[in-house]
Amino acid sequence: MSEQVQVVLVAAAGGAVVGVLGLLAGWLLRSRSLRWQLALVAVVSVTTVLVGVVAIAQLMFLSRHDLQVVMLVTLAGAVVSLGVAAILSEALVRWSRRMREHVRRIGGGLPDEPAPQAPAELSELARELAAARRRLEEAADREQRLEESRRELVSWVSHDLRTPLAGIRAMAEALEDGLANDPVRYHSQIRGEVDRMVSMVDDLFELSRIHAGVLRLQPELVLLGDLVSEAVAAADPVARMHRVQVGGEVQSGLEVTVDPAGLSRVLGNLIVNGVRHTPADGSVHVSARVVGDEVELAVADQCGGIEAGTIDRVFEVAFRGAEARTPEDPADPSAASRAGLGLAIVKGIVEAHRGRVEVSNTGPDGAVTGCRFVVRLPLSGPLTPSAG
């Protein structure tokens, strides 16, 4: 066996023994301060070198003087290593304390502060904790808005149901007592109020299915122009009543895989919403075209715009802005459901199609004269029969 191989084997054997003892000591010190862990690393490193030097010196039959020189050099290196380990351990302890204070600020809801100056891993951890806090705050805000929307929904639906029920009761009592001068008109009014309440209940049921994730889609390849034409024709009576012109244009031959009933409801809600908010002699325009790998379906009206502080809330459940709770004209078919559900249903159905819906104010030369709702749907890719 060559001399080099003997040196390697002896040094490796000594290092293995010291390493095993070091691991055992590390396990015993696992719950102690980081200072002990770093000091242990330094001690193990120096001891490994020292054991190897002593063992090799014995094999090489060094003189006592030479061995002392080697030992002194090794011990000097050990002192320096332990000093460096002590300094680094103290710095690491300070960094960990700063990190603990940073986490405590986050947990206590205190304002954010810059991540503590620390090694890259700890700084990255501090930034991730701050980002997690912001996400949690945003989630809490969303939950609070949803809870407020639920309370408003219950309040507004209760109001919107109480009004027609009171009218139906009064008309029914008049009919029973023989006090109705025109029973046919009373029956017609009762039927209209019942239809309005049925429409509201249908909206509530549809919204509950959307929120529960059980909305059933029956996707088909359809001509988008046909759906737009049907929606415009269905909204024509309402448009005539409000003296609003409804028109549109669709890219020729445009086909899309959608649930026809669901997309028809989206179009109907958006068109009627535009008609209801557009003043007399105004117009609502529907358009559809391909933009990239999406189908862009837009409904533009002349409602005068939406306030900047509320435009981000128009798709929330029960949000109706400053509009009165009671419909202005019970004979208006568009007033069938004013509980602020129409746009929330639009958003739910569009998202079930893996699309998105947006709204923005529009007008020439920076003047706001109306708003534009844009539905973006994927142009290709089959839909699953069930989505929500």
Side-chain angles (χ1 to χ4, degrees):
M1 184 180 297
S2 65
E3 183 176 308
Q4 290 80 1
V5 175
Q6 287 182 344
V7 170
V8 171
L9 291 177
V10 170
V17 173
V18 174
V20 171
L21 294 176
L23 290 175
L24 178 60
W27 185 82
L28 295 175
L29 297 174
R30 65 188 182 279
S31 60
R32 303 297 294 273
S33 171
L34 288 173
R35 293 189 182 93
W36 293 95
Q37 304 292 334
L38 288 178
L40 179 62
V41 171
V43 169
V44 169
S45 300
V46 173
T47 304
T48 301
V49 175
L50 186 60
V51 170
V53 168
V54 172
I56 297 302
Q58 295 296 327
L59 289 177
M60 297 176 64
F61 302 103
L62 294 178
S63 64
R64 181 177 298 273
H65 176 269
D66 294 340
L67 181 59
Q68 289 177 351
V69 170
V70 173
M71 294 291 292
L72 289 174
V73 172
T74 305
L75 290 175
V79 172
V80 173
S81 298
L82 289 174
V84 172
I87 294 173
L88 290 178
S89 64
E90 183 63 27
L92 189 57
V93 168
R94 287 200 303 270
W95 291 329
S96 65
R97 287 174 179 170
R98 291 178 185 173
M99 181 65 65
R100 183 177 60 192
E101 291 300 321
H102 186 71
V103 173
R104 187 174 297 169
R105 282 182 70 87
I106 293 176
L110 298 175
D112 285 340
E113 63 178 9
Q117 295 296 323
E121 291 79 3
L122 293 180
S123 297
E124 183 65 24
L125 176 60
R127 288 190 290 271
E128 288 295 330
L129 287 172
R133 175 199 176 175
R134 288 191 291 271
R135 289 193 295 268
L136 288 173
E137 289 177 346
E138 292 172 358
D141 290 341
R142 286 195 300 270
E143 183 64 26
Q144 184 177 0
R145 288 197 302 269
L146 286 174
E147 184 61 28
E148 291 175 355
S149 297
R150 293 188 187 101
R151 288 196 296 267
E152 292 175 353
L153 177 62
V154 172
S155 174
W156 290 351
V157 167
S158 299
H159 183 281
D160 287 347
L161 287 176
R162 187 182 298 114
T163 300
L165 285 173
I168 290 174
R169 172 179 290 179
M171 288 184 286
E173 290 176 353
L175 289 171
E176 289 177 353
D177 296 339
L179 301 177
N181 297 327
D182 188 355
V184 175
R185 182 173 64 85
Y186 274 48
H187 284 109
S188 177
Q189 289 179 341
I190 291 174
R191 176 60 181 270
E193 296 290 355
V194 170
D195 289 342
R196 188 156 66 89
M197 289 190 296
V198 168
S199 179
M200 187 184 302
V201 172
D202 288 344
D203 282 350
L204 287 170
F205 179 68
E206 186 77 2
L207 194 63
S208 68
R209 291 198 303 167
I210 290 172
H211 286 174
V214 294
L215 179 63
R216 302 288 299 182
L217 298 180
Q218 301 297 329
E220 299 177 12
L221 185 63
V222 296
L223 280 171
L224 192 53
D226 293 343
L227 292 182
V228 172
S229 298
E230 293 172 0
V232 170
D236 184 66
V238 180
R240 289 178 181 274
M241 180 179 299
H242 287 265
R243 291 188 298 162
V244 173
Q245 183 179 1
V246 179
E249 56 185 19
V250 179
Q251 184 175 327
S252 178
L254 179 54
E255 294 183 332
V256 62
T257 302
V258 295
D259 176 40
L263 190 57
S264 294
R265 182 156 195 176
V266 168
L267 284 167
N269 285 4
L270 291 178
I271 294 173
V272 169
N273 180 76
V275 168
R276 184 160 54 86
H277 289 90
T278 298
D281 301 325
S283 64
V284 174
H285 186 266
V286 186
S287 63
R289 59 174 182 165
V290 176
V291 179
D293 58 351
E294 294 179 326
V295 173
E296 181 186 274
L297 180 61
V299 178
D301 58 40
Q302 296 177 343
C303 64
I306 305 173
E307 295 180 3
T310 61
I311 193 170
D312 294 332
R313 299 189 57 198
V314 295
F315 296 107
E316 292 182 6
V317 175
F319 179 76
R320 298 188 294 186
E323 184 184 11
R325 294 181 178 183
T326 305
E328 297 177 0
D329 184 2
D332 180 3
S334 71
S337 176
R338 294 289 183 87
L341 306 180
L343 294 180
I345 291 173
V346 166
K347 182 181 180 182
I349 294 176
V350 170
E351 290 180 347
H353 283 80
R354 296 199 297 272
R356 62 188 189 279
V357 58
E358 306 162 352
V359 61
S360 60
N361 289 326
T362 60
D365 301 327
V368 177
T369 59
C371 57
R372 184 170 183 261
F373 290 84
V374 179
V375 174
R376 305 184 190 278
L377 299 172
L379 181 61
S380 58
L383 288 171
T384 57
S386 177

